[in-house]
């Protein structure tokens, strides 16, 4: 798929818009005003990414909430265990999207 075809899709543009807008907000929040990222910011990043890779996603809210909690823990912990949890969550989301 070419980039032009990708951006011709309203779903893809929506996903990219959600992701970029939330990413900019999160970066400003984290590095300019020195506040920790909120769950809403992380959920926006996750949803935007999912909308980009799979506009017709069937991922459930509990899956996203678990993934969000693990990503937040990974950001705060910087440990291999936290990274493994995030990878496991991502695998579960990908499997859900394949169905």
């Amino acid at each position: 798929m070419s980039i032009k075809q990708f951006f011709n899709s309203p779903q893809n543009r929506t996903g990219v818009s959600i992701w970029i807008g939330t990413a900019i907000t999160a970066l400003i929040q984290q590095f300019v005003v020195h506040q920790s990222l909120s769950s809403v910011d992380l959920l926006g990043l996750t949803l935007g990414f999912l909308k980009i890779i799979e506009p017709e996603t069937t991922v459930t809210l509990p899956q996203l909430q678990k993934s969000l909690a693990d990503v937040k823990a990974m950001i705060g912990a910087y440990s291999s265990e936290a990274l493994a949890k995030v990878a496991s969550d991502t695998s579960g989301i990908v499997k859900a999207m394949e169905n």
Side-chain angles (χ1 to χ4, degrees):
M1 174 187 291
S2 74
I3 292 177
K4 184 177 180 177
Q5 287 175 323
F6 178 84
F7 283 109
N8 281 337
S9 166
Q11 293 89 357
N12 291 341
R13 287 193 308 268
T14 299
V16 170
S17 297
I18 291 169
W19 196 87
I20 290 174
T22 308
I24 290 170
T25 302
L27 288 172
I28 290 170
Q29 185 176 338
Q30 184 76 29
F31 297 108
V32 175
V33 295
H34 304 291
Q35 295 176 347
S36 62
L37 295 178
S38 70
S39 297
V40 174
D41 292 332
L42 294 174
L43 186 58
L45 289 170
T46 305
L47 285 174
F49 181 71
L50 289 176
K51 282 299 228 180
I52 292 169
I53 61 172
E54 183 62 44
E56 305 296 325
T57 187
T58 59
V59 176
T60 65
L61 184 58
Q63 284 175 308
L64 287 177
Q65 289 173 326
K66 182 175 182 329
S67 176
L68 177 64
D70 289 343
V71 168
K72 197 170 184 178
M74 181 188 76
I75 290 171
Y78 300 109
S79 69
S80 59
E81 293 84 14
L83 183 59
K85 284 183 183 180
V86 170
S88 174
D89 292 341
T90 304
S91 174
I93 289 172
V94 169
K95 288 177 185 173
M97 289 170 51
E98 290 175 349
N99 295 328

